[in-house]
Amino acid sequence: MSSIKEIQDEIVSEFEILGDDKESTIFYIMELGGGLEKFPEAERKEENIIKGCQSKVWLVANEEGGKIHYQADSNTDITKGLISLLIRVLNHRRPEEILNAQLDFIDRIGMGSIIGSQRSNGLAAMIKQMKLYAFAFQTKQNA
Amino acid sequence: MSLNIDQIRGLFPVLHQEVHGKPLIYFDNAATTQKPQAVLDALTNYYGHDNSNIHRGAHALADRATRYYESTRESVQQFINARESAEIIFTKGTTESINLVAQTFGRKFIGKDDEIIISTMEHHSNIVPWQMLCEEKGVILKIIPISEKGEILFEEFEKLLSPKTKLVSIVHASNALGTINPVKNVIDAAHAVGAKVLLDGAQSTSHLEIGVQDLDCDFLAFSAHKLYGPTGLGVLYGKRAVLESMPPFLGGGEMIKEVTFEKTTYNNIPFKFEAGTPNIADVIAFKSALDFINEYGKPAIKAHEDELLAYANETMLDIQGFIPVGTAADKVSVLSFNINGMHPFDVGQLLDAKGIAVRTGHHCTQPLMKRFGIEGTVRASFAVYNTKSEIEKLAEGVAQIARFKNK
């Protein structure tokens, strides 16, 4: 399995192909959302909605063999694409790896200017929630 | 008279820029219109030459600033054909104007079990102030239902009217749908049961000719920044007798006749409602915005905007997946829509990437969105400086986005 750094490098080079064309970049992000694993309907409930996102984002995390399995969905295609990127980088990793991850691909892509400030805040909230899950599992593992 | 749109566009510096490498197409006019150079010049001139606090200044600058400030009041009076300029109160905006009425007229004249009627298509600023009053006083809020097209059901409105109705507060033109309400009929019916009427004119004053004496509304609230004027400034028109019967809103300087520690007497209208140093610069610059509108005339401006709206409907209705929201027969130039299967925010962001500025979301009309069973819409709203070729770009953009999702 590639490292967090390697996957981030991959994502950055994929976005580099799109160049400065904001429109194609957004369409690409929307396409990525289509690749999200199907979200379990039973988990589509209020308590799994991430606070701080304008659009609705549901996120759940399960521990499988000491590693975290994230599943997420959103009611908007762009947000689905964004969370699919985060999942691609952080999925199936040990909690401490996730907690220590420096997610620099977001700045390297220049995501802030692509998605605007409202969505950037939402993206930060998603990362925070993913790390919170990692922290909770780490605490449990160490107990 | 047909307008020279190229010449008019030349008066708006902000329009001549690129965003994301594309020429800006500004279709967010229902949120705020852009400002002509004359308004920008008036602001700079005021601060560069005339800056002074108004009223009671014994010097030349104060005298000039006062004259300019009061001259805008007269322009506003003429703009809405009020009987006298004392009936024009400057506020921070439509929201403050409505709150002023709720907190003064409402608290004094509307009591327990009295009723206030609003419509389903109100902006939150014409809902929440009344809810606050209802909570405080035990007043009951009644809601006029609307049709699928987004028109009020007038017969249902008539059924809501009774001697208990103390106020009907209704939007003249809907910000989210564009619907123009039959306000003259609403006002007449409300007056027949002894109720007063407040018109929310935030979206109508820039498009429709409004004569408050002919309409006979008791209050009219609107904002300067939707009329090509500065932000942070609004107007409350009220009939003299009604304004005089109301207690002051805010206490402080300007609004008093005499202050002693035992008792304060209040100034006459309009000053009674303008406590503190007002927004002098923006009031003065607002006159230039009104002059701009008057130069072309609202009938010509409306005719151009109607043509744009009709063209937008014509070019977009056949797009597969295009869902118009609000199809009233009588509308101002607002095109609210959704694309099948897409969140309005995504559509807005894709249009932004094409240089097209629209607004997305619930447009501060959540109960209206709920009525239609939707989360929000994409709203393109047109102003005098917009063109058919801009509409063509919007239609192309929407078609491309709809194809992506509905392929």
Side-chain angles (χ1 to χ4, degrees):
Chain A
M1 184 174 176
S2 313
S3 71
I4 285 180
K5 186 183 175 305
E6 284 163 352
I7 295 185
Q8 293 196 89
D9 289 345
E10 258 173 51
I11 292 173
V12 171
S13 59
E14 286 163 18
F15 274 78
E16 270 168 4
I17 298 168
L18 297 159
D20 286 337
D21 188 343
K22 180 170 161 150
E23 206 182 324
S24 321
T25 310
I26 294 176
F27 274 123
Y28 179 63
I29 294 170
M30 288 167 70
E31 297 266 13
L32 292 176
L36 269 180
E37 180 185 350
K38 193 168 162 36
F39 191 77
E41 282 310 311
E43 299 294 348
R44 201 182 294 281
K45 46 194 178 189
E46 193 65 30
E47 68 213 60
N48 289 330
I49 291 179
I50 299 179
K51 310 280 179 293
C53 293
Q54 288 281 324
S55 34
K56 283 199 180 108
V57 185
W58 296 269
L59 175 74
V60 290
N62 293 294
E63 194 185 348
E64 289 168 6
K67 294 180 175 175
I68 300 181
H69 175 210
Y70 291 105
Q71 286 171 295
D73 199 5
S74 172
N75 62 341
T76 94
D77 293 317
I78 295 177
T79 310
K80 269 167 102 163
L82 296 175
I83 192 120
S84 79
L85 286 169
L86 295 178
I87 288 182
R88 183 169 153 199
V89 176
L90 298 177
N91 217 12
H92 303 299
R93 297 189 186 279
R94 285 175 290 108
E96 55 271 27
E97 260 186 291
I98 295 165
L99 286 169
N100 294 329
Q102 298 297 321
L103 299 176
D104 61 356
F105 78 99
I106 294 165
D107 284 342
R108 285 162 69 197
I109 292 171
M111 194 61 98
S113 68
I114 298 167
I115 59 175
S117 54
Q118 263 191 66
R119 277 208 150 108
S120 293
N121 291 340
L123 187 60
M126 292 178 219
I127 295 169
K128 191 175 155 199
Q129 188 60 37
M130 292 176 90
K131 292 206 170 192
L132 270 174
Y133 272 121
F135 182 70
F137 285 119
Q138 187 187 47
T139 311
K140 210 168 93 187
Q141 283 171 4
N142 294 341
Chain B
M1 179 187 112
S2 142
L3 302 174
N4 180 347
I5 302 302
D6 274 351
Q7 182 255 335
I8 290 175
R9 289 181 69 81
L11 305 175
F12 289 81
V14 80
L15 296 176
H16 307 281
Q17 63 175 299
E18 293 197 337
V19 289
H20 314 305
K22 316 265 166 68
L24 168 68
I25 295 177
Y26 186 77
F27 282 157
D28 196 15
N29 295 289
T32 196
T33 52
Q34 298 301 345
K35 322 302 172 199
Q37 186 63 45
V39 170
L40 310 185
D41 290 345
L43 281 170
T44 329
N45 266 329
Y46 168 71
Y47 283 120
H49 300 280
D50 308 319
N51 178 47
S52 181
N53 210 331
I54 53 167
H55 302 140
R56 298 179 319 281
H59 58 85
L61 266 60
D63 191 48
R64 276 207 306 261
T66 304
R67 264 191 289 123
Y68 295 148
Y69 181 89
E70 290 303 326
S71 131
T72 300
R73 203 188 301 275
E74 282 162 22
S75 288
V76 174
Q77 175 208 343
Q78 288 154 18
F79 191 71
I80 60 169
N81 193 29
R83 198 168 280 109
E84 48 177 323
S85 64
E87 294 176 321
I88 307 301
I89 296 158
F90 290 119
T91 64
K92 278 196 304 199
T94 306
T95 300
E96 188 180 70
S97 296
I98 297 174
N99 275 275
L100 190 161
V101 176
Q103 292 299 314
T104 61
F105 175 85
R107 285 171 91 173
K108 183 164 178 188
F109 296 111
I110 310 180
K112 188 164 170 32
D113 297 331
D114 285 339
E115 295 174 359
I116 295 171
I117 300 177
I118 62 173
S119 84
T120 305
M121 67 179 90
E122 300 309 320
H123 189 282
H124 294 165
S125 63
N126 196 24
I127 302 175
V128 184
W130 308 119
Q131 286 176 327
M132 289 160 67
L133 186 69
C134 288
E135 203 162 305
E136 181 186 326
K137 294 278 194 171
V139 178
I140 297 156
L141 196 60
K142 299 271 181 176
I143 315 294
I144 311 168
I146 60 166
S147 70
E148 205 52 39
K149 284 181 157 182
E151 294 170 325
I152 61 162
L153 301 174
F154 198 82
E155 286 174 10
E156 297 299 317
F157 164 59
E158 285 179 308
K159 286 185 207 159
L160 294 177
L161 286 167
S162 81
K164 284 184 173 178
T165 313
K166 292 294 178 279
L167 180 77
V168 176
S169 190
I170 188 164
V171 69
H172 192 176
S174 156
N175 71 312
L177 307 175
T179 309
I180 300 171
N181 281 317
V183 289
K184 180 64 187 151
N185 296 342
V186 169
I187 292 163
D188 290 346
H191 282 169
V193 298
K196 299 277 189 266
V197 179
L198 184 155
L199 281 191
D200 169 357
Q203 296 295 335
S204 59
T205 34
S206 63
H207 309 288
L208 310 175
E209 288 210 277
I210 292 176
V212 289
Q213 293 186 66
D214 293 337
L215 282 172
D216 200 26
C217 57
D218 302 280
F219 301 105
L220 171 70
F222 58 98
S223 299
H225 73 97
K226 295 185 201 284
L227 279 161
Y228 308 99
T231 56
L233 174 66
V235 169
L236 174 68
Y237 156 82
K239 287 180 182 166
R240 172 179 276 276
V242 183
L243 291 177
E244 283 181 340
S245 72
M246 288 158 45
F249 178 40
L250 304 173
E254 285 277 328
M255 53 78 75
I256 52 94
K257 194 168 273 168
E258 190 183 5
V259 177
T260 66
F261 284 120
E262 289 71 39
K263 185 177 168 56
T264 291
T265 50
Y266 303 124
N267 205 338
N268 297 325
I269 62 163
F271 310 112
K272 182 169 89 173
F273 295 105
E274 292 180 3
T277 296
N279 188 349
I280 305 168
D282 290 324
V283 167
I284 290 174
F286 185 31
K287 186 175 192 303
S288 301
L290 295 174
D291 289 346
F292 164 78
I293 294 172
N294 291 333
E295 187 180 339
Y296 302 99
K298 280 199 258 186
I301 294 173
K302 172 90 165 39
H304 173 66
E305 292 167 344
D306 283 350
E307 206 179 314
L308 295 177
L309 181 65
Y311 192 55
N313 275 320
E314 194 183 306
T315 48
M316 290 168 72
L317 273 178
D318 291 337
I319 296 171
Q320 204 179 353
F322 177 82
I323 307 164
V325 181
T327 49
D330 204 8
K331 281 177 59 162
V332 294
S333 49
V334 166
L335 181 70
S336 227
F337 63 94
N338 271 308
I339 292 178
N340 188 30
M342 281 194 79
H343 195 279
F345 195 19
D346 287 354
V347 179
Q349 217 152 29
L350 281 163
L351 289 173
D352 175 59
K354 294 171 184 293
I356 304 174
V358 294
R359 190 143 295 249
T360 66
H362 54 62
H363 314 297
C364 293
T365 58
Q366 285 180 337
L368 177 65
M369 296 296 117
K370 199 173 166 198
R371 158 66 181 79
F372 284 109
I374 52 180
E375 251 185 81
T377 72
V378 181
R379 182 187 70 186
S381 49
F382 314 125
V384 64
Y385 40 66
N386 290 126
T387 66
K388 280 190 171 179
S389 84
E390 288 180 319
I391 302 239
E392 283 162 11
K393 296 230 171 61
L394 172 70
E396 280 165 27
V398 168
Q400 189 205 4
I401 296 165
R403 270 198 306 277
F404 174 83
K405 192 66 190 184
N406 294 280
K407 63 190 169 190

